[in-house]
Amino acid sequence: MSTTRKVFRYQTRNVVRSRALIGYALFFLATTLGLVRLGGGVERVLPSLANVVLLAVPLVSLLVATIFLYDGRPFTELLLSQPVGRRSLFAGLYLGLTLPLIGAFLLGVGLPLASSGATQEVPGQAVLLLLSGTLLTAVFTAIGFVVAFTLGDAARGLGAALLLWLVLTVVYDGVVLIASHAFAAYPLERPMLVAMVLNPVDLARVLILIAVDASALLGYTGAVFQDFFGKGWGLVGAAVSLTAWIALPYAWALRRFTRMDF
Amino acid sequence: MRRALLAVAAVVAAAVARPGVAAAQRPDVLRVGAAGPYTNVTAAVAAAHPHDTVVVEPGVYREETVVIDRPLTLLGREGAVLDGEGRRGLVVVAADSVSVLGLTLRDTGITFVDDRAALRVERVRFCHIEGNRIENAFFGIYLANAGDCVVRNNVLIAHGDRESRAGNGIHLWYSARVTIEDNRVEGHRDGIYFEFVEDSRVRGNRSQDNLRYGLHFMFSDGCSYLRNSFRRNGAGVAVMYTRGVVMEGNDFDDNRGGAAFGLLLKEITDSRIAGNRFHRNSVGIHAEGANRLEVVENDFVANGWAVQVLANSEESSFRRNNFVGNSFDVSTNSRRTYSTFEDNYWDRYRGYDRDRDGTGDVPFRPVRLFSLVVEQNEPALVLQRSFLVTLLDLAESVLPMLTPDNLVDARPALNPIATPWRPS
């Protein structure tokens, strides 16, 4: 465990000092402040912010994770030449990357929101936004680990990361939309919800939808949606699935890492 | 001579002060209570002369339905309760100029044979119903063929579980010139129900948590609804087949569900909807066959759909409203629209104002492409706020192909409009 802590401490220091992380925090700080100042009421700010979070958090988490792993590859190899358990080394690397990113996100979005009074006016919505951003960060750094430990070449790794981001944020929804049109004659509520669960970006979006668009979602006449969005288990289900989404790529990347021949 | 004059004066004075004559002229007060003189309300009413007052002292009274067949005031002291024991209605007003004040009426029970009401007013005028508390009634206050009545400051609380097993709170049928003011209605089927009512005012009432509609009226021309609050009702507010409706300063809040509407307008003509707030409803206003409406200076905030106007609505105008934080601002079922949108504030508007006159130079199209998608394929709703959907909407707004061509706000306001709605 102490290995984890040491690696974590080193990695955190390394990440926090990087310009990328500071830029990331400043980006959210500027965006949120700008929206709060110019965007009008709380009803307006949170949805706009949600759009930004859903785009930027996966992209940045994915890229930062892969870049740092490729950059730190020699150091990782050096550590591995020491009597160090791979699992604890992996955990240290992961936490050292993820926690600073989460910190930057919470700082950049949370501070201006709290100062604008949004956290008091619509605490539920603000908390859900912060929660979904936090979970998304953890999911996408884990996915970054999968990419970095699967593809040896940094250029190919980064390309794959970008492609993955594009697929999960845009292409996937397009496919779902087209599919839902093609099968419009069938009861689609359950398949649609399953499709949302299979994509972490959509899951995070559903969390935000529950907070922001509940009125519209409850206006839909289907019983499955009524239950899902009306009775609270949609919220719990989405949050739990999104947490499970952290474990899946983490386990995969860990498996690669422990069996990898450096 | 002087003595004679004095004697005459004495006789006159005695005649004026004769007790029998005085009692007949002055309205009397009859007390009902455990201590007497009357132990039940029916006996006191039977003994009362016109325009007497029957005062009901605190206590629980279990007696047959009280029928008030002469003009009088029935005044309950705090804690005076008429209990129907789940078997009967409690008071029937069957004479003009009756006041029923300060009573608690409870437990009428449910019946499927007649519209049993805690307080029924039938075929009379000038009734005054104020400050009563009605608990667990099937129908609460029921006016049929009544005129010139006032229903004020009553609290009606029921705990209906199913629409079919609940009655309406304040129910008016074939009545005219009635004022319904500052009442609170909860847990009934419809909070306030009007059918064939004319020239009446509904003001300052709170109707919430009712099973079906907070307010429901049909065929009720020339009525006005001012500063009421309709909240968390099963299906919101529905108004139909009426002309000359005025709705101002009301709050339609939190009416959510598959068939819930802040305000459902069906076949409403020549009416004015101004200065209201629509907040967190599944649908703010749903207009079907609604013609020549004036929808002015309302706030539409955080609704699923702020306004749904179907193509069979003509010549309605939506002016100077605020649309903020709605999932969808406007939707319709046709490529043409016969209503106009002008001078509204839309928080989605991204245009500019080069001449700085406060209105955008580029028209705003409030119907999103995605709302058409959802119209045809409802489950797609879960893709709301996805980046893809934002891109689709953007593409459509740059080059409109599918959204209604003439549903355009040509003069969108750049800043929120100061609307008159204030929380009451």
Side-chain angles (χ1 to χ4, degrees):
Chain A
M1 215 62 243
S2 75
T3 319
T4 305
R5 201 175 314 145
K6 274 182 200 149
V7 175
F8 167 66
R9 212 180 300 153
Y10 160 77
Q11 182 81 344
T12 309
R13 219 175 293 152
N14 194 16
V15 173
V16 167
R17 260 182 291 171
S18 77
R19 258 176 286 171
L21 189 85
I22 297 169
Y24 182 56
L26 284 180
F27 163 73
F28 272 123
L29 205 64
T31 312
T32 315
L33 267 180
L35 282 173
V36 166
R37 295 259 170 244
L38 306 173
V42 180
E43 284 87 3
R44 180 93 201 98
V45 172
L46 282 178
S48 314
L49 198 56
N51 288 342
V52 179
V53 167
L54 289 175
L55 274 186
V57 165
L59 180 64
V60 174
S61 306
L62 203 51
L63 289 186
V64 166
T66 37
I67 289 172
F68 266 80
L69 283 180
Y70 283 120
D71 272 1
R73 187 64 162 266
F75 176 69
T76 313
E77 282 169 13
L78 178 71
L79 281 182
L80 281 172
S81 68
Q82 310 296 316
V84 167
R86 285 198 174 187
R87 282 171 179 279
S88 44
L89 175 59
F90 184 87
L93 286 175
Y94 178 73
L95 291 177
L97 259 171
T98 307
L99 293 185
L101 278 171
I102 290 177
F105 166 75
L106 289 179
L107 208 72
V109 175
L111 266 189
L113 272 191
S115 73
S116 78
T119 41
Q120 284 91 47
E121 270 185 72
V122 277
Q125 297 190 4
V127 165
L128 274 183
L129 181 65
L130 293 175
L131 176 73
S132 57
T134 303
L135 292 177
L136 261 190
T137 311
V139 171
F140 275 87
T141 44
I143 294 179
F145 273 62
V146 173
V147 172
F149 290 134
T150 307
L151 299 169
D153 181 33
R156 279 179 64 203
L158 279 180
L162 275 176
L163 193 68
L164 207 56
W165 173 78
L166 198 67
V167 166
L168 289 179
T169 47
V170 188
V171 179
Y172 185 86
D173 289 345
V175 173
V176 169
L177 188 61
I178 290 167
S180 79
H181 259 281
F183 297 102
Y186 297 88
L188 276 181
E189 299 166 307
R190 247 175 254 276
M192 286 296 266
L193 286 180
V194 170
M196 296 298 100
V197 171
L198 294 181
N199 178 351
V201 181
D202 280 332
L203 263 178
R205 197 169 47 72
V206 165
L207 268 181
I208 290 167
L209 280 191
I210 290 173
V212 177
D213 292 279
S215 305
L217 290 164
L218 292 176
Y220 172 62
T221 43
V224 176
F225 278 17
Q226 289 281 329
D227 279 359
F228 190 84
F229 294 107
K231 299 215 175 106
W233 72 261
L235 188 66
V236 176
V240 168
S241 320
L242 196 52
T243 313
W245 254 106
I246 303 173
L248 200 74
Y250 183 92
W252 186 3
L254 181 61
R255 203 180 127 88
R256 297 274 326 165
F257 185 70
T258 46
R259 296 179 182 195
M260 211 163 139
D261 186 13
F262 280 92
Chain B
M1 184 63 198
R2 241 178 118 166
R3 185 168 295 180
L5 265 177
L6 261 173
V8 170
V11 168
V12 170
V16 170
R18 230 173 65 206
V21 174
Q25 286 175 346
R26 188 183 63 214
D28 219 344
V29 174
L30 295 85
R31 292 191 184 278
V32 183
Y38 300 97
T39 52
N40 68 55
V41 183
T42 304
V45 169
H49 291 103
H51 307 293
D52 282 354
T53 298
V54 174
V55 174
V56 186
E57 298 292 344
V60 179
Y61 299 85
R62 299 189 174 87
E63 54 182 89
E64 285 308 302
T65 306
V66 177
V67 179
I68 305 178
D69 53 0
R70 58 202 75 184
L72 51 76
T73 298
L74 182 61
L75 172 69
R77 296 259 186 245
E78 173 99 45
V81 179
L82 268 62
D83 189 340
E85 300 171 274
R87 291 205 300 262
R88 58 179 171 267
L90 294 151
V91 177
V92 173
V93 175
D96 290 352
S97 308
V98 170
S99 302
V100 179
L101 316 168
L103 278 171
T104 298
L105 311 176
R106 74 180 183 206
D107 293 334
T108 60
I110 295 167
T111 163
F112 301 109
V113 179
D114 59 327
D115 293 348
R116 186 186 290 168
L119 176 58
R120 173 185 288 270
V121 177
E122 208 151 358
R123 298 189 176 282
V124 301
R125 295 178 70 187
F126 310 114
C127 66
H128 185 122
I129 297 159
E130 181 160 351
N132 300 289
R133 190 178 164 84
I134 297 176
E135 296 167 357
N136 263 333
F138 187 50
F139 283 78
I141 299 173
Y142 191 110
L143 278 70
N145 294 297
D148 305 287
C149 284
V150 175
V151 179
R152 182 182 292 146
N153 248 332
N154 302 285
V155 176
L156 297 93
I157 294 176
H159 306 280
D161 50 352
R162 290 210 309 270
E163 277 181 23
S164 57
R165 288 170 53 81
N168 302 325
I170 299 176
H171 180 104
L172 270 72
W173 164 265
Y174 267 115
S175 296
R177 300 174 305 280
V178 178
T179 301
I180 313 275
E181 209 165 53
D182 298 326
N183 301 284
R184 181 151 71 90
V185 190
E186 288 176 24
H188 279 274
R189 181 174 59 195
D190 291 347
I192 301 172
Y193 178 96
F194 276 29
E195 195 163 352
F196 309 112
V197 177
E198 283 181 8
D199 302 322
S200 292
R201 285 160 87 77
V202 176
R203 187 164 55 197
N205 301 285
R206 263 198 296 160
S207 179
Q208 57 190 39
D209 300 302
N210 294 295
L211 298 178
R212 195 170 62 182
Y213 300 117
L215 167 70
H216 186 190
F217 66 78
M218 286 163 289
F219 313 108
S220 293
D221 296 349
C223 295
S224 59
Y225 306 85
L226 314 168
R227 299 190 65 79
N228 302 286
S229 148
F230 304 106
R231 175 172 295 184
R232 290 191 305 269
N233 295 297
V237 166
V239 302
M240 308 169 191
Y241 313 111
T242 297
R243 57 182 63 233
V245 179
V246 175
M247 293 189 134
E248 289 183 6
N250 301 290
D251 189 15
F252 301 85
D253 189 15
D254 243 326
N255 301 295
R256 306 206 277 190
F261 303 90
L263 179 56
L264 169 75
L265 303 164
K266 186 170 170 60
E267 310 293 331
I268 297 285
T269 314
D270 296 310
S271 296
R272 178 176 162 82
I273 296 165
N276 303 286
R277 182 179 80 145
F278 297 86
H279 182 235
R280 286 173 36 104
N281 303 290
S282 281
V283 179
I285 292 184
H286 177 92
E288 210 173 309
N291 303 322
R292 296 190 296 279
L293 296 183
E294 229 185 312
V295 182
V296 187
E297 294 187 339
N298 300 287
D299 285 329
F300 295 91
V301 180
N303 300 288
W305 285 260
V307 174
Q308 291 179 338
V309 207
L310 304 196
N312 56 359
S313 298
E314 294 184 16
E315 292 178 52
S316 291
S317 87
F318 294 78
R319 279 181 294 111
R320 294 179 54 76
N321 301 289
N322 289 317
F323 291 85
V324 178
N326 302 297
S327 301
F328 301 94
D329 288 325
V330 176
S331 77
T332 178
N333 60 347
S334 142
R335 280 222 67 195
R336 292 203 58 77
T337 178
Y338 305 94
S339 302
T340 54
F341 290 81
E342 220 174 38
D343 298 320
N344 299 289
Y345 170 74
W346 312 89
D347 67 348
R348 265 182 237 277
Y349 182 58
R350 293 286 170 271
Y352 48 82
D353 177 24
R354 273 196 309 195
D355 52 3
R356 300 208 165 245
D357 61 349
T359 53
D361 301 347
V362 191
F364 177 69
R365 302 180 159 274
V367 180
R368 293 166 57 195
L369 177 59
F370 187 54
S371 86
L372 299 184
V373 172
V374 170
E375 199 88 13
Q376 289 170 13
N377 183 11
E378 283 193 323
L381 191 55
V382 289
L383 293 173
Q384 159 86 327
R385 291 191 196 285
S386 121
F387 185 52
L388 175 87
V389 166
T390 314
L391 287 180
L392 283 181
D393 285 343
L394 188 70
E396 174 71 16
S397 70
V398 172
L399 201 71
M401 301 282 282
L402 301 165
T403 49
D405 347 299
N406 63 339
L407 207 165
V408 168
D409 189 332
R411 304 162 33 84
L414 279 188
N415 297 305
I417 288 151
T419 50
W421 191 86
R422 298 285 173 276
S424 44

